[in-house]
Amino acid sequence: MKKILYSVLMLATLGMTSCSDFLDEQKPQATLSDDQVKDPKYVDNLVVSAYAVFISAEDINSSFSMWNFDVRSDDAYKGGNGTSDGDVFHQLEIEQGVLTTNWNISDMWQRLYNCISRVNTAISLLDQVDAAAYPQKNERLAEMKFLRAYAHFLLKRLYKNIPFITDANLTTEQYNTLSNREYTNDQGWQVIIDDLMESYKNLPVSQADKARPTKAAAAAFLTKVYMYKAYHQDDENSNKVTRISKEDLLKAVEFSDPAIYAQGGYGLESDFHNNFRPEPQYENGKESLWAMQYSTNDGTKNGNMNWSYGLIVPNIPGITDGGCDFYKPSQNLVNAYRTDADGHPFIGTYNGKDYDKATDYADPRLFLTVGIPGLPYEFNNKFMMDESSTWSRSNGLYGYYVTLKQNVDPESPFLKKGSWWGTSENRIVFRYADVILERAEALVQLNDGRINEAISLINQIRNRAKQSMGAISNYQSDYGVRMNIMPYTGTYSQEQALNIVKMERRLEMGMECERFFDLVRWGEADSVLNRYFAEETNDCSIYGSAHFTKDKNEYLPIPYAQIAASNGNYKQNIGNW
């Protein structure tokens, strides 16, 4: 009689070594009979298991938010107690000394392929279920392919050349012959798109369970992947952008059509800050297209908390003792929020002057993104920030700024101490503002007479920022900061409009772990980051030895353990790793 694997398939054949974090994935495999396969309860269990792994498989050092890897961007410093605290991430931050044997390079690979393996187990069983007995079959398959696309997407942004596991029933021999160069870069994005297109066709407009993706979530994901695919990087000997594809840009415009999102009731929140609040009335708001769901009251001791931000919490004596103070906003990011007398950012200019809250105008989003000395931490005036070790475990090496989007009020019930600090705040994976920005970027790159429409989209974002004053309405009167933000009203060339769009992405998405990947897909990482290293040396001395090597540091190396276990089927990324 035919037997079906109940748990994760073939992990070892992907070159994955055993790890205590994944002991559950290595347990002996239970089997199901033909009759049991048709029982919906087994399918539902596996589907839930596939969702759960995207929370249970990550941890403080390998967060699927990618904050650990966003320290390579100009948005954030690594933080912590010094350069030796999380030294492998320090190496990534300055792009020096990174080794293919570093544990963090291999760890993320393992965790994400564990996710794919769990999803494929569910797909394998779903494929054999009788649709008449399980009417949700096609919808559940769409959900699983969405999750598989998500894991492949995270892997591809990190490593570029990866094996794609889209056959849920591969044999051991087939696993052992997989190549990480089966597809070109362009074709690899298409593999992800193919899964997402099936999701888009079969997902409903709304879901009672907010953890499940909707049609709009699939559209947002397709928009993003097409924007990555549009910037073709198919030269085997470089990571340069070889061309920008009009066809892919048009697809991004198609899937970012506002009508798709209006149908599901999605749109911009009235206040930017609402996207980053843990209170139940704000979570899963109209801007949240798909989010990782966390809670404090699911019946377990500490709730279904997000522990992957455990290293980000500052070390407030008697309050958050043990907070590690990682992922600190850079001075460069703070400076980017400065505005001129007309309420516009200084695009492409740097005069060596750091932001001064007493004299400089700033975009209101600065105060909702970055905790700044002299202002309340998480909008609670019992915790006034200053230039002390409370707000910098490194005693100023990484400055005194603190990220606000991932943290919550220390006095709230949404922050709890476990092995690390955890929060119940949802992590929005795709939010509508990101879709608007991608649509604007696509329209500008197409340059087919719709630049004014793109600027109008940017102004939607800026006008929303202007009215996002709920948490900071007293900042100008009580703390002396100066805010000024206005929409764009001029006529702009394609080059000017593109600069506006790219700056707006940085301001809107700051500290949401998009920045480094944006720079890579634009082909600008080397020029932007090497300029950043030079400018930041006075603010953060670690950058004195930093250098970004073009055609190498855009992507992580393929982990040594994976190369060694691949029987010669994996090829290392370029860059003389």
PDB file of all heavy atoms in Angstrom, residues 528-562:
ATOM      1  N   VAL A 528      26.645  53.727  -3.593  1.00  0.00           N
ATOM      2  CA  VAL A 528      25.969  54.320  -2.434  1.00  0.00           C
ATOM      3  C   VAL A 528      26.669  53.943  -1.138  1.00  0.00           C
ATOM      4  O   VAL A 528      26.913  54.792  -0.274  1.00  0.00           O
ATOM      5  CB  VAL A 528      24.487  53.888  -2.393  1.00  0.00           C
ATOM      6  CG1 VAL A 528      23.838  54.300  -1.072  1.00  0.00           C
ATOM      7  CG2 VAL A 528      23.723  54.502  -3.559  1.00  0.00           C
ATOM      8  N   LEU A 529      27.025  52.680  -0.989  1.00  0.00           N
ATOM      9  CA  LEU A 529      27.575  52.232   0.293  1.00  0.00           C
ATOM     10  C   LEU A 529      29.015  52.677   0.493  1.00  0.00           C
ATOM     11  O   LEU A 529      29.410  53.008   1.617  1.00  0.00           O
ATOM     12  CB  LEU A 529      27.439  50.718   0.418  1.00  0.00           C
ATOM     13  CG  LEU A 529      25.983  50.243   0.522  1.00  0.00           C
ATOM     14  CD1 LEU A 529      25.901  48.725   0.569  1.00  0.00           C
ATOM     15  CD2 LEU A 529      25.297  50.844   1.747  1.00  0.00           C
ATOM     16  N   ASN A 530      29.813  52.712  -0.548  1.00  0.00           N
ATOM     17  CA  ASN A 530      31.181  53.207  -0.361  1.00  0.00           C
ATOM     18  C   ASN A 530      31.193  54.700  -0.046  1.00  0.00           C
ATOM     19  O   ASN A 530      32.019  55.178   0.741  1.00  0.00           O
ATOM     20  CB  ASN A 530      32.041  52.890  -1.589  1.00  0.00           C
ATOM     21  CG  ASN A 530      32.472  51.431  -1.616  1.00  0.00           C
ATOM     22  OD1 ASN A 530      32.750  50.835  -0.584  1.00  0.00           O
ATOM     23  ND2 ASN A 530      32.522  50.838  -2.799  1.00  0.00           N
ATOM     24  N   ARG A 531      30.242  55.455  -0.624  1.00  0.00           N
ATOM     25  CA  ARG A 531      30.100  56.861  -0.240  1.00  0.00           C
ATOM     26  C   ARG A 531      29.644  56.972   1.212  1.00  0.00           C
ATOM     27  O   ARG A 531      30.137  57.810   1.979  1.00  0.00           O
ATOM     28  CB  ARG A 531      29.112  57.545  -1.171  1.00  0.00           C
ATOM     29  CG  ARG A 531      28.935  59.051  -0.875  1.00  0.00           C
ATOM     30  CD  ARG A 531      28.110  59.745  -1.948  1.00  0.00           C
ATOM     31  NE  ARG A 531      26.743  59.267  -1.992  1.00  0.00           N
ATOM     32  CZ  ARG A 531      26.216  58.576  -2.997  1.00  0.00           C
ATOM     33  NH1 ARG A 531      26.966  58.261  -4.063  1.00  0.00           N
ATOM     34  NH2 ARG A 531      24.966  58.179  -2.970  1.00  0.00           N
ATOM     35  N   TYR A 532      28.723  56.128   1.591  1.00  0.00           N
ATOM     36  CA  TYR A 532      28.225  56.094   2.971  1.00  0.00           C
ATOM     37  C   TYR A 532      29.353  55.789   3.956  1.00  0.00           C
ATOM     38  O   TYR A 532      29.488  56.454   4.991  1.00  0.00           O
ATOM     39  CB  TYR A 532      27.129  55.035   3.061  1.00  0.00           C
ATOM     40  CG  TYR A 532      26.761  54.549   4.429  1.00  0.00           C
ATOM     41  CD1 TYR A 532      26.142  55.375   5.358  1.00  0.00           C
ATOM     42  CD2 TYR A 532      26.996  53.218   4.803  1.00  0.00           C
ATOM     43  CE1 TYR A 532      25.770  54.908   6.612  1.00  0.00           C
ATOM     44  CE2 TYR A 532      26.629  52.743   6.045  1.00  0.00           C
ATOM     45  CZ  TYR A 532      26.020  53.584   6.947  1.00  0.00           C
ATOM     46  OH  TYR A 532      25.649  53.113   8.193  1.00  0.00           O
ATOM     47  N   PHE A 533      30.181  54.806   3.642  1.00  0.00           N
ATOM     48  CA  PHE A 533      31.290  54.477   4.540  1.00  0.00           C
ATOM     49  C   PHE A 533      32.197  55.684   4.753  1.00  0.00           C
ATOM     50  O   PHE A 533      32.621  55.972   5.883  1.00  0.00           O
ATOM     51  CB  PHE A 533      32.113  53.318   3.962  1.00  0.00           C
ATOM     52  CG  PHE A 533      31.383  52.006   3.866  1.00  0.00           C
ATOM     53  CD1 PHE A 533      31.753  51.057   2.918  1.00  0.00           C
ATOM     54  CD2 PHE A 533      30.330  51.705   4.720  1.00  0.00           C
ATOM     55  CE1 PHE A 533      31.088  49.843   2.825  1.00  0.00           C
ATOM     56  CE2 PHE A 533      29.651  50.486   4.635  1.00  0.00           C
ATOM     57  CZ  PHE A 533      30.041  49.558   3.685  1.00  0.00           C
ATOM     58  N   ALA A 534      32.481  56.393   3.675  1.00  0.00           N
ATOM     59  CA  ALA A 534      33.366  57.556   3.784  1.00  0.00           C
ATOM     60  C   ALA A 534      32.734  58.674   4.605  1.00  0.00           C
ATOM     61  O   ALA A 534      33.405  59.316   5.426  1.00  0.00           O
ATOM     62  CB  ALA A 534      33.717  58.068   2.387  1.00  0.00           C
ATOM     63  N   GLU A 535      31.430  58.890   4.410  1.00  0.00           N
ATOM     64  CA  GLU A 535      30.741  59.973   5.113  1.00  0.00           C
ATOM     65  C   GLU A 535      30.482  59.635   6.573  1.00  0.00           C
ATOM     66  O   GLU A 535      30.407  60.535   7.418  1.00  0.00           O
ATOM     67  CB  GLU A 535      29.421  60.281   4.414  1.00  0.00           C
ATOM     68  CG  GLU A 535      29.592  60.868   3.019  1.00  0.00           C
ATOM     69  CD  GLU A 535      28.278  60.994   2.268  1.00  0.00           C
ATOM     70  OE1 GLU A 535      27.246  60.484   2.776  1.00  0.00           O
ATOM     71  OE2 GLU A 535      28.264  61.587   1.159  1.00  0.00           O
ATOM     72  N   GLU A 536      30.339  58.365   6.887  1.00  0.00           N
ATOM     73  CA  GLU A 536      29.956  57.961   8.235  1.00  0.00           C
ATOM     74  C   GLU A 536      31.126  57.796   9.186  1.00  0.00           C
ATOM     75  O   GLU A 536      30.919  57.618  10.386  1.00  0.00           O
ATOM     76  CB  GLU A 536      29.182  56.636   8.170  1.00  0.00           C
ATOM     77  CG  GLU A 536      27.718  56.780   7.851  1.00  0.00           C
ATOM     78  CD  GLU A 536      26.915  57.312   9.030  1.00  0.00           C
ATOM     79  OE1 GLU A 536      27.127  56.856  10.167  1.00  0.00           O
ATOM     80  OE2 GLU A 536      26.080  58.193   8.801  1.00  0.00           O
ATOM     81  N   THR A 537      32.329  57.815   8.698  1.00  0.00           N
ATOM     82  CA  THR A 537      33.480  57.512   9.550  1.00  0.00           C
ATOM     83  C   THR A 537      33.525  58.384  10.800  1.00  0.00           C
ATOM     84  O   THR A 537      33.855  57.910  11.890  1.00  0.00           O
ATOM     85  CB  THR A 537      34.795  57.665   8.753  1.00  0.00           C
ATOM     86  OG1 THR A 537      34.759  56.771   7.635  1.00  0.00           O
ATOM     87  CG2 THR A 537      35.989  57.326   9.624  1.00  0.00           C
ATOM     88  N   ASN A 538      33.156  59.652  10.676  1.00  0.00           N
ATOM     89  CA  ASN A 538      33.183  60.542  11.841  1.00  0.00           C
ATOM     90  C   ASN A 538      32.096  60.219  12.848  1.00  0.00           C
ATOM     91  O   ASN A 538      32.249  60.479  14.045  1.00  0.00           O
ATOM     92  CB  ASN A 538      33.047  62.002  11.391  1.00  0.00           C
ATOM     93  CG  ASN A 538      34.259  62.494  10.638  1.00  0.00           C
ATOM     94  OD1 ASN A 538      35.365  61.994  10.829  1.00  0.00           O
ATOM     95  ND2 ASN A 538      34.065  63.470   9.763  1.00  0.00           N
ATOM     96  N   ASP A 539      30.982  59.653  12.379  1.00  0.00           N
ATOM     97  CA  ASP A 539      29.881  59.311  13.274  1.00  0.00           C
ATOM     98  C   ASP A 539      30.001  57.894  13.826  1.00  0.00           C
ATOM     99  O   ASP A 539      29.509  57.611  14.916  1.00  0.00           O
ATOM    100  CB  ASP A 539      28.540  59.455  12.542  1.00  0.00           C
ATOM    101  CG  ASP A 539      28.216  60.904  12.217  1.00  0.00           C
ATOM    102  OD1 ASP A 539      28.232  61.726  13.150  1.00  0.00           O
ATOM    103  OD2 ASP A 539      27.947  61.201  11.046  1.00  0.00           O
ATOM    104  N   CYS A 540      30.614  57.009  13.064  1.00  0.00           N
ATOM    105  CA  CYS A 540      30.763  55.617  13.486  1.00  0.00           C
ATOM    106  C   CYS A 540      32.109  55.114  12.977  1.00  0.00           C
ATOM    107  O   CYS A 540      32.259  54.795  11.801  1.00  0.00           O
ATOM    108  CB  CYS A 540      29.607  54.769  12.945  1.00  0.00           C
ATOM    109  SG  CYS A 540      29.517  53.109  13.647  1.00  0.00           S
ATOM    110  N   SER A 541      33.099  55.077  13.869  1.00  0.00           N
ATOM    111  CA  SER A 541      34.489  54.862  13.468  1.00  0.00           C
ATOM    112  C   SER A 541      34.741  53.491  12.850  1.00  0.00           C
ATOM    113  O   SER A 541      35.757  53.302  12.179  1.00  0.00           O
ATOM    114  CB  SER A 541      35.406  55.032  14.680  1.00  0.00           C
ATOM    115  OG  SER A 541      35.069  54.093  15.698  1.00  0.00           O
ATOM    116  N   ILE A 542      33.828  52.538  13.025  1.00  0.00           N
ATOM    117  CA  ILE A 542      34.068  51.201  12.470  1.00  0.00           C
ATOM    118  C   ILE A 542      34.169  51.221  10.957  1.00  0.00           C
ATOM    119  O   ILE A 542      34.732  50.310  10.348  1.00  0.00           O
ATOM    120  CB  ILE A 542      32.969  50.210  12.888  1.00  0.00           C
ATOM    121  CG1 ILE A 542      31.628  50.591  12.248  1.00  0.00           C
ATOM    122  CG2 ILE A 542      32.835  50.115  14.393  1.00  0.00           C
ATOM    123  CD1 ILE A 542      30.601  49.480  12.296  1.00  0.00           C
ATOM    124  N   TYR A 543      33.642  52.270  10.326  1.00  0.00           N
ATOM    125  CA  TYR A 543      33.617  52.307   8.869  1.00  0.00           C
ATOM    126  C   TYR A 543      34.948  52.740   8.260  1.00  0.00           C
ATOM    127  O   TYR A 543      35.080  52.789   7.036  1.00  0.00           O
ATOM    128  CB  TYR A 543      32.481  53.199   8.382  1.00  0.00           C
ATOM    129  CG  TYR A 543      31.121  52.594   8.642  1.00  0.00           C
ATOM    130  CD1 TYR A 543      30.228  53.198   9.521  1.00  0.00           C
ATOM    131  CD2 TYR A 543      30.742  51.400   8.038  1.00  0.00           C
ATOM    132  CE1 TYR A 543      28.989  52.633   9.789  1.00  0.00           C
ATOM    133  CE2 TYR A 543      29.514  50.824   8.296  1.00  0.00           C
ATOM    134  CZ  TYR A 543      28.644  51.440   9.170  1.00  0.00           C
ATOM    135  OH  TYR A 543      27.428  50.878   9.436  1.00  0.00           O
ATOM    136  N   GLY A 544      35.920  53.022   9.086  1.00  0.00           N
ATOM    137  CA  GLY A 544      37.231  53.388   8.564  1.00  0.00           C
ATOM    138  C   GLY A 544      37.851  52.284   7.726  1.00  0.00           C
ATOM    139  O   GLY A 544      38.622  52.556   6.801  1.00  0.00           O
ATOM    140  N   SER A 545      37.526  51.043   8.041  1.00  0.00           N
ATOM    141  CA  SER A 545      38.086  49.899   7.291  1.00  0.00           C
ATOM    142  C   SER A 545      37.057  49.242   6.379  1.00  0.00           C
ATOM    143  O   SER A 545      37.325  48.183   5.805  1.00  0.00           O
ATOM    144  CB  SER A 545      38.629  48.853   8.272  1.00  0.00           C
ATOM    145  OG  SER A 545      37.582  48.391   9.127  1.00  0.00           O
ATOM    146  N   ALA A 546      35.902  49.855   6.235  1.00  0.00           N
ATOM    147  CA  ALA A 546      34.825  49.245   5.449  1.00  0.00           C
ATOM    148  C   ALA A 546      35.034  49.497   3.954  1.00  0.00           C
ATOM    149  O   ALA A 546      35.490  50.563   3.549  1.00  0.00           O
ATOM    150  CB  ALA A 546      33.480  49.803   5.881  1.00  0.00           C
ATOM    151  N   HIS A 547      34.649  48.521   3.160  1.00  0.00           N
ATOM    152  CA  HIS A 547      34.666  48.705   1.704  1.00  0.00           C
ATOM    153  C   HIS A 547      33.740  47.679   1.083  1.00  0.00           C
ATOM    154  O   HIS A 547      33.813  46.479   1.380  1.00  0.00           O
ATOM    155  CB  HIS A 547      36.067  48.544   1.121  1.00  0.00           C
ATOM    156  CG  HIS A 547      36.102  48.719  -0.371  1.00  0.00           C
ATOM    157  ND1 HIS A 547      36.004  49.963  -0.976  1.00  0.00           N
ATOM    158  CD2 HIS A 547      36.191  47.805  -1.388  1.00  0.00           C
ATOM    159  CE1 HIS A 547      36.040  49.806  -2.288  1.00  0.00           C
ATOM    160  NE2 HIS A 547      36.154  48.518  -2.558  1.00  0.00           N
ATOM    161  N   PHE A 548      32.880  48.153   0.198  1.00  0.00           N
ATOM    162  CA  PHE A 548      31.974  47.281  -0.542  1.00  0.00           C
ATOM    163  C   PHE A 548      32.626  46.926  -1.870  1.00  0.00           C
ATOM    164  O   PHE A 548      32.971  47.809  -2.660  1.00  0.00           O
ATOM    165  CB  PHE A 548      30.638  47.993  -0.775  1.00  0.00           C
ATOM    166  CG  PHE A 548      29.579  47.127  -1.391  1.00  0.00           C
ATOM    167  CD1 PHE A 548      28.617  46.518  -0.600  1.00  0.00           C
ATOM    168  CD2 PHE A 548      29.526  46.919  -2.766  1.00  0.00           C
ATOM    169  CE1 PHE A 548      27.635  45.716  -1.153  1.00  0.00           C
ATOM    170  CE2 PHE A 548      28.551  46.120  -3.335  1.00  0.00           C
ATOM    171  CZ  PHE A 548      27.597  45.510  -2.526  1.00  0.00           C
ATOM    172  N   THR A 549      32.803  45.634  -2.117  1.00  0.00           N
ATOM    173  CA  THR A 549      33.416  45.166  -3.351  1.00  0.00           C
ATOM    174  C   THR A 549      32.335  44.833  -4.371  1.00  0.00           C
ATOM    175  O   THR A 549      31.530  43.921  -4.162  1.00  0.00           O
ATOM    176  CB  THR A 549      34.284  43.921  -3.097  1.00  0.00           C
ATOM    177  OG1 THR A 549      35.299  44.259  -2.139  1.00  0.00           O
ATOM    178  CG2 THR A 549      34.934  43.445  -4.387  1.00  0.00           C
ATOM    179  N   LYS A 550      32.339  45.597  -5.452  1.00  0.00           N
ATOM    180  CA  LYS A 550      31.366  45.370  -6.515  1.00  0.00           C
ATOM    181  C   LYS A 550      31.541  43.972  -7.094  1.00  0.00           C
ATOM    182  O   LYS A 550      32.650  43.450  -7.170  1.00  0.00           O
ATOM    183  CB  LYS A 550      31.552  46.435  -7.606  1.00  0.00           C
ATOM    184  CG  LYS A 550      30.492  46.419  -8.697  1.00  0.00           C
ATOM    185  CD  LYS A 550      30.699  47.576  -9.666  1.00  0.00           C
ATOM    186  CE  LYS A 550      29.619  47.592 -10.729  1.00  0.00           C
ATOM    187  NZ  LYS A 550      29.774  48.724 -11.671  1.00  0.00           N
ATOM    188  N   ASP A 551      30.429  43.371  -7.521  1.00  0.00           N
ATOM    189  CA  ASP A 551      30.401  42.029  -8.100  1.00  0.00           C
ATOM    190  C   ASP A 551      30.870  40.972  -7.102  1.00  0.00           C
ATOM    191  O   ASP A 551      31.411  39.925  -7.481  1.00  0.00           O
ATOM    192  CB  ASP A 551      31.238  41.955  -9.382  1.00  0.00           C
ATOM    193  CG  ASP A 551      30.678  42.860 -10.468  1.00  0.00           C
ATOM    194  OD1 ASP A 551      29.448  43.046 -10.503  1.00  0.00           O
ATOM    195  OD2 ASP A 551      31.473  43.388 -11.266  1.00  0.00           O
ATOM    196  N   LYS A 552      30.640  41.256  -5.835  1.00  0.00           N
ATOM    197  CA  LYS A 552      30.879  40.276  -4.775  1.00  0.00           C
ATOM    198  C   LYS A 552      29.886  40.460  -3.640  1.00  0.00           C
ATOM    199  O   LYS A 552      29.106  39.559  -3.332  1.00  0.00           O
ATOM    200  CB  LYS A 552      32.304  40.377  -4.235  1.00  0.00           C
ATOM    201  CG  LYS A 552      32.563  39.437  -3.055  1.00  0.00           C
ATOM    202  CD  LYS A 552      33.985  39.558  -2.525  1.00  0.00           C
ATOM    203  CE  LYS A 552      34.197  38.590  -1.361  1.00  0.00           C
ATOM    204  NZ  LYS A 552      35.591  38.651  -0.838  1.00  0.00           N
ATOM    205  N   ASN A 553      29.900  41.645  -3.027  1.00  0.00           N
ATOM    206  CA  ASN A 553      29.167  41.839  -1.778  1.00  0.00           C
ATOM    207  C   ASN A 553      27.671  42.088  -1.954  1.00  0.00           C
ATOM    208  O   ASN A 553      26.945  42.259  -0.972  1.00  0.00           O
ATOM    209  CB  ASN A 553      29.790  42.982  -0.976  1.00  0.00           C
ATOM    210  CG  ASN A 553      31.199  42.685  -0.512  1.00  0.00           C
ATOM    211  OD1 ASN A 553      32.091  43.527  -0.610  1.00  0.00           O
ATOM    212  ND2 ASN A 553      31.422  41.470  -0.032  1.00  0.00           N
ATOM    213  N   GLU A 554      27.200  42.093  -3.197  1.00  0.00           N
ATOM    214  CA  GLU A 554      25.765  42.232  -3.406  1.00  0.00           C
ATOM    215  C   GLU A 554      24.987  41.043  -2.818  1.00  0.00           C
ATOM    216  O   GLU A 554      23.833  41.180  -2.412  1.00  0.00           O
ATOM    217  CB  GLU A 554      25.440  42.345  -4.898  1.00  0.00           C
ATOM    218  CG  GLU A 554      25.905  43.637  -5.552  1.00  0.00           C
ATOM    219  CD  GLU A 554      27.319  43.551  -6.102  1.00  0.00           C
ATOM    220  OE1 GLU A 554      28.007  42.539  -5.819  1.00  0.00           O
ATOM    221  OE2 GLU A 554      27.736  44.470  -6.826  1.00  0.00           O
ATOM    222  N   TYR A 555      25.632  39.873  -2.809  1.00  0.00           N
ATOM    223  CA  TYR A 555      24.973  38.661  -2.337  1.00  0.00           C
ATOM    224  C   TYR A 555      25.870  37.931  -1.351  1.00  0.00           C
ATOM    225  O   TYR A 555      27.098  38.067  -1.389  1.00  0.00           O
ATOM    226  CB  TYR A 555      24.622  37.741  -3.515  1.00  0.00           C
ATOM    227  CG  TYR A 555      23.657  38.391  -4.480  1.00  0.00           C
ATOM    228  CD1 TYR A 555      24.112  39.051  -5.623  1.00  0.00           C
ATOM    229  CD2 TYR A 555      22.290  38.393  -4.225  1.00  0.00           C
ATOM    230  CE1 TYR A 555      23.236  39.680  -6.488  1.00  0.00           C
ATOM    231  CE2 TYR A 555      21.402  39.022  -5.088  1.00  0.00           C
ATOM    232  CZ  TYR A 555      21.879  39.666  -6.213  1.00  0.00           C
ATOM    233  OH  TYR A 555      21.002  40.303  -7.055  1.00  0.00           O
ATOM    234  N   LEU A 556      25.243  37.168  -0.475  1.00  0.00           N
ATOM    235  CA  LEU A 556      26.003  36.313   0.419  1.00  0.00           C
ATOM    236  C   LEU A 556      26.610  35.168  -0.377  1.00  0.00           C
ATOM    237  O   LEU A 556      26.066  34.753  -1.408  1.00  0.00           O
ATOM    238  CB  LEU A 556      25.091  35.730   1.506  1.00  0.00           C
ATOM    239  CG  LEU A 556      24.375  36.710   2.426  1.00  0.00           C
ATOM    240  CD1 LEU A 556      23.525  35.927   3.432  1.00  0.00           C
ATOM    241  CD2 LEU A 556      25.345  37.634   3.135  1.00  0.00           C
ATOM    242  N   PRO A 557      27.716  34.622   0.106  1.00  0.00           N
ATOM    243  CA  PRO A 557      28.249  33.426  -0.562  1.00  0.00           C
ATOM    244  C   PRO A 557      27.354  32.221  -0.286  1.00  0.00           C
ATOM    245  O   PRO A 557      26.624  32.175   0.713  1.00  0.00           O
ATOM    246  CB  PRO A 557      29.619  33.251   0.103  1.00  0.00           C
ATOM    247  CG  PRO A 557      29.447  33.835   1.473  1.00  0.00           C
ATOM    248  CD  PRO A 557      28.524  35.021   1.283  1.00  0.00           C
ATOM    249  N   ILE A 558      27.392  31.242  -1.172  1.00  0.00           N
ATOM    250  CA  ILE A 558      26.733  29.972  -0.894  1.00  0.00           C
ATOM    251  C   ILE A 558      27.492  29.335   0.276  1.00  0.00           C
ATOM    252  O   ILE A 558      28.727  29.256   0.243  1.00  0.00           O
ATOM    253  CB  ILE A 558      26.757  29.041  -2.119  1.00  0.00           C
ATOM    254  CG1 ILE A 558      26.202  29.753  -3.361  1.00  0.00           C
ATOM    255  CG2 ILE A 558      25.970  27.764  -1.835  1.00  0.00           C
ATOM    256  CD1 ILE A 558      24.794  30.292  -3.213  1.00  0.00           C
ATOM    257  N   PRO A 559      26.799  28.908   1.336  1.00  0.00           N
ATOM    258  CA  PRO A 559      27.510  28.361   2.506  1.00  0.00           C
ATOM    259  C   PRO A 559      28.435  27.204   2.133  1.00  0.00           C
ATOM    260  O   PRO A 559      28.088  26.356   1.304  1.00  0.00           O
ATOM    261  CB  PRO A 559      26.371  27.890   3.419  1.00  0.00           C
ATOM    262  CG  PRO A 559      25.179  28.697   3.009  1.00  0.00           C
ATOM    263  CD  PRO A 559      25.342  28.920   1.532  1.00  0.00           C
ATOM    264  N   TYR A 560      29.587  27.185   2.760  1.00  0.00           N
ATOM    265  CA  TYR A 560      30.562  26.128   2.481  1.00  0.00           C
ATOM    266  C   TYR A 560      29.958  24.745   2.691  1.00  0.00           C
ATOM    267  O   TYR A 560      30.182  23.826   1.896  1.00  0.00           O
ATOM    268  CB  TYR A 560      31.791  26.293   3.385  1.00  0.00           C
ATOM    269  CG  TYR A 560      32.739  25.122   3.304  1.00  0.00           C
ATOM    270  CD1 TYR A 560      33.641  25.013   2.248  1.00  0.00           C
ATOM    271  CD2 TYR A 560      32.709  24.109   4.274  1.00  0.00           C
ATOM    272  CE1 TYR A 560      34.501  23.926   2.157  1.00  0.00           C
ATOM    273  CE2 TYR A 560      33.562  23.023   4.188  1.00  0.00           C
ATOM    274  CZ  TYR A 560      34.459  22.934   3.126  1.00  0.00           C
ATOM    275  OH  TYR A 560      35.302  21.854   3.035  1.00  0.00           O
ATOM    276  N   ALA A 561      29.169  24.586   3.754  1.00  0.00           N
ATOM    277  CA  ALA A 561      28.582  23.278   4.052  1.00  0.00           C
ATOM    278  C   ALA A 561      27.691  22.798   2.920  1.00  0.00           C
ATOM    279  O   ALA A 561      27.629  21.592   2.625  1.00  0.00           O
ATOM    280  CB  ALA A 561      27.787  23.343   5.361  1.00  0.00           C
ATOM    281  N   GLN A 562      27.014  23.722   2.267  1.00  0.00           N
ATOM    282  CA  GLN A 562      26.133  23.347   1.159  1.00  0.00           C
ATOM    283  C   GLN A 562      26.934  22.972  -0.085  1.00  0.00           C
ATOM    284  O   GLN A 562      26.600  22.015  -0.786  1.00  0.00           O
ATOM    285  CB  GLN A 562      25.174  24.502   0.847  1.00  0.00           C
ATOM    286  CG  GLN A 562      24.363  24.993   2.034  1.00  0.00           C
ATOM    287  CD  GLN A 562      23.507  23.899   2.637  1.00  0.00           C
ATOM    288  OE1 GLN A 562      22.989  23.045   1.922  1.00  0.00           O
ATOM    289  NE2 GLN A 562      23.352  23.916   3.948  1.00  0.00           N
TER     290      GLN A 562
END
